[in-house]
């Protein structure tokens, strides 16, 4: 069962990584394009790496321990559920997961800048709620 304490713990754990990832997307979008393009070039191995190493663990943490459906906590909860759905789709139907990796080169830096802004926003919500309840 999700308690206010576990929700606050999850937010504390996620605040700094989300902020750093978001800032990195803003400051170094070309690096992220290159990274995702490299993963796409690895085929299913690249898709598996992205899903298992980068997305499964934060998604599982949020889905298991952050069921807050009130504002603004619902933003974190929804992010976790959407991320878990993305992982499930990528692992159960790898061609679709690969297609999302391949879009990095087509979308270019702009997609990563937008993602960075979203991650910074989520990190800010987590940080504010975790450290200024």
């Amino acid at each position: 069962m999700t308690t206010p304490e576990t929700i606050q713990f999850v937010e504390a754990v996620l605040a700094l990584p989300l902020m750093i990832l978001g800032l990195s997307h803003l400051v170094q979008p070309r690096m992220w394009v290159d990274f995702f393009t490299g993963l796409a070039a690895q085929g299913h191995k690249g898709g598996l790496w992205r899903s298992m190493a980068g997305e499964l663990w934060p998604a599982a943490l949020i889905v298991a321990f952050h069921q807050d459906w009130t504002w603004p906590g619902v933003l974190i909860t929804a992010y976790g559920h959407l991320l878990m759905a993305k992982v499930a789709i990528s692992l159960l139907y790898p061609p679709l997961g690969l297609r999302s990796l391949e879009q990095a080169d087509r979308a270019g830096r702009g997609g990563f800048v937008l993602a960075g802004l979203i991650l910074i926003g989520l990190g800010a919500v987590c940080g504010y709620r975790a450290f200024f309840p």
Side-chain angles (χ1 to χ4, degrees), residues 23-40:
L23 287 170
S24 174
H25 278 59
L26 284 178
V27 175
Q28 297 293 334
R30 184 76 237 166
M31 176 184 73
W32 285 99
V33 170
D34 292 345
F35 177 66
F36 273 68
T37 302
L39 288 177

Side-chain angles (χ1 to χ4, degrees), residues 5-110:
E5 292 79 17
T6 59
I7 289 171
Q8 188 176 12
F9 174 78
V10 169
E11 291 168 349
V13 167
L14 292 175
L16 190 57
L18 286 171
M19 293 292 285
I20 292 170
L21 280 171
L23 287 170
S24 174
H25 278 59
L26 284 178
V27 175
Q28 297 293 334
R30 184 76 237 166
M31 176 184 73
W32 285 99
V33 170
D34 292 345
F35 177 66
F36 273 68
T37 302
L39 288 177
Q42 293 179 27
H44 295 303
K45 181 180 176 183
L48 187 63
W49 174 255
R50 180 202 53 194
S51 294
M52 296 298 292
E55 297 171 340
L56 178 62
W57 299 109
L61 181 67
I62 294 168
V63 169
F65 300 110
H66 193 286
Q67 295 303 303
D68 183 357
W69 298 98
T70 63
W71 185 261
V74 67
L75 295 173
I76 308 305
T77 301
Y79 170 71
H81 284 269
L82 290 171
L83 194 57
M84 184 61 80
K86 180 181 175 188
V87 169
I89 291 167
S90 293
L91 294 177
L92 297 173
Y93 188 66
L96 195 55
L98 281 176
R99 198 162 62 206
S100 77
L101 281 174
E102 292 164 352
Q103 288 178 347
D105 199 33
R106 288 190 297 273
R109 295 182 290 207

